[in-house]
Amino acid sequence: MSRQRFIAFLTALAVAVGLAVLVPFASTASATDCAAAWSSSSVYTGGQTASYNGHNWSAKWWTQGETPGAADVWADQGGCGTSSGGTGGSTGGSSSCSYPAWVAGKSYVTGDIVQYSNGSDYIATHDNPGYDPTISTWYWSPYTCSGGGGTTPPSNGGFVVSEAQFNSMFPSRNPFYTYAGLTAALSAYPGFATTGSATVQKQEAAAFLANVSHETGGLVYIVEQNTSNYSHYCDTSQPYGCPAGQSAYYGRGPIQLSWNFNYKAAGDALGIDLLDNPNLVQTDPAVAWKTGLWYWDTQTGPGTMTPHNAMVNGAGFGETIRSINGSVECNGGNPAEVQDRVNAYENFTSILGVPAGSNLSC
């Protein structure tokens, strides 16, 4: 039996009896070779490496089940798989990419990418509660990481909005809101601005940034300006309470994340303890952007769909406003605020060279 098969046998045996799998240190690889693919069931300790989404990642400390790129326990070591003999980079076909294994009954959102047991990759085309990718063609589509059957999730520099375009959108932005922080956050939700046609991708990016611009005064404000509201965002009925303090969960970041339960939910989804460390949203640009993408991709708010779904499924920019502020602005609640968001969206789509589409208001 080869060494590789022997390790695989021991790993399978450990999983079968309920033991955590401790991954042996990966062999040294060149800058362009991929380490062994990351596994959600495996245990990694500080210094161990794994490949995921065409990048090598190094664990900073002990971790299990925390997705590289979505949790700060992992340090990005750069792209891999571009040299001859690479194993798992983004230049090969579907089998050379590393995506999480599909899990029956697990909730997925539009844009999530999984690997099925047949070795093929699939991208969620609609939110679903874990339907089988090979049966449900409405909820899943075949995906090829090289671009043959899908769109490669962006890495740093691969965003549909260039840094120059970003700077022109936000000429007076606070230096905290960096372009690098935004592109570093994209790996948390690979379906964002990569789903649908090139036009739809740019429209979604423009829609997100337009709402962000409205919420932050053009990316000027990092925290909520009305300090008298700060103590109101602690829902003491939650079993976990407000461990960071009664007034710790005020609005922060590009979508102005607020309330203890939202910090808890966003932190759980991102693999970051935001309930105990809410200040990360105002001190770490990548974390701040990730919380904005978390809301955009996973929360319906007062609307009926996520803002992400509104843009990729043709509901229009107006539905993103409804999902963010609902009746406070929509249905005549505050038409001036709605128009400010629409103006920003039309400006940003113009910068990106795409039409704004229909259903702009709510």
Side-chain angles (χ1 to χ4, degrees):
M1 180 182 292
S2 68
R3 180 175 180 273
Q4 289 83 357
R5 289 189 176 184
F6 181 65
I7 292 174
F9 168 76
L10 290 180
T11 299
L13 180 61
V15 171
V17 297
L19 299 176
V21 181
L22 185 61
V23 177
F25 279 92
S27 58
T28 302
S30 72
T32 54
D33 288 339
C34 285
W38 172 78
S39 169
S40 61
S41 64
S42 299
V43 170
Y44 299 85
T45 56
Q48 290 184 295
T49 59
S51 62
Y52 183 77
N53 275 1
H55 278 233
N56 279 329
W57 302 83
S58 176
K60 299 177 184 178
W61 52 81
W62 188 99
T63 177
Q64 182 181 25
E66 296 178 287
T67 307
D72 61 1
V73 66
W74 291 98
D76 190 352
Q77 303 299 302
C80 63
T82 58
S83 67
S84 59
T87 57
S90 59
T91 58
S94 173
S95 61
S96 67
C97 289
S98 177
Y99 297 114
W102 169 77
V103 178
K106 176 182 176 180
S107 294
Y108 292 97
V109 299
T110 305
D112 281 349
I113 304 170
V114 298
Q115 185 174 80
Y116 192 61
S117 57
N118 61 7
S120 297
D121 298 326
Y122 294 85
I123 185 168
T125 48
H126 292 87
D127 295 358
N128 70 88
Y131 294 138
D132 190 312
T134 63
I135 296 175
S136 178
T137 56
W138 169 255
Y139 291 103
W140 296 96
S141 294
Y143 182 90
T144 304
C145 63
S146 61
T151 305
T152 305
S155 58
N156 271 6
F159 188 30
V160 294
V161 179
S162 70
E163 186 167 9
Q165 290 169 330
F166 178 76
N167 289 336
S168 70
M169 292 173 177
F170 303 103
S172 302
R173 65 181 169 84
N174 190 306
F176 171 78
Y177 290 111
T178 62
Y179 180 78
L182 173 56
T183 56
L186 298 178
S187 60
Y189 292 97
F192 170 73
T194 66
T195 305
S197 68
T199 295
V200 170
Q201 292 171 27
K202 291 181 179 181
Q203 287 173 336
E204 183 184 9
F208 172 74
L209 293 173
N211 280 298
V212 161
S213 179
H214 180 84
E215 296 291 321
T216 61
L219 286 186
V220 172
Y221 302 120
I222 302 171
V223 302
E224 182 176 352
Q225 297 300 290
N226 187 355
T227 58
S228 64
N229 282 340
Y230 282 17
S231 62
H232 299 163
Y233 296 121
C234 176
D235 181 358
T236 56
S237 70
Q238 302 297 331
Y240 43 77
C242 298
Q246 175 79 23
S247 301
Y249 302 98
Y250 51 85
R252 294 178 176 88
I255 294 286
Q256 294 289 282
L257 185 72
S258 56
W259 290 97
N260 54 329
F261 48 80
N262 280 327
Y263 278 86
K264 176 70 163 61
D268 288 349
L270 297 169
I272 306 169
D273 182 7
L274 296 181
L275 184 66
D276 290 292
N277 303 285
N279 277 333
L280 285 174
V281 184
Q282 70 185 74
T283 58
D284 187 321
V287 171
W289 283 113
K290 284 179 181 180
T291 63
L293 292 174
W294 165 78
Y295 190 94
W296 185 265
D297 274 70
T298 69
Q299 303 300 297
T300 62
T304 60
M305 64 189 76
T306 66
H308 170 71
N309 281 348
M311 294 308 298
V312 302
N313 292 330
F317 179 71
E319 284 303 311
T320 72
I321 303 174
R322 191 181 305 279
S323 296
I324 292 172
N325 232 11
S327 60
V328 173
E329 294 183 19
C330 296
N331 302 324
N334 196 327
E337 296 291 294
V338 171
Q339 190 59 49
D340 184 69
R341 294 180 193 264
V342 173
N343 291 344
Y345 174 63
E346 291 181 322
N347 178 34
F348 292 173
T349 53
S350 177
I351 290 173
L352 296 178
V354 293
S358 58
N359 301 323
L360 298 185
S361 185
C362 64

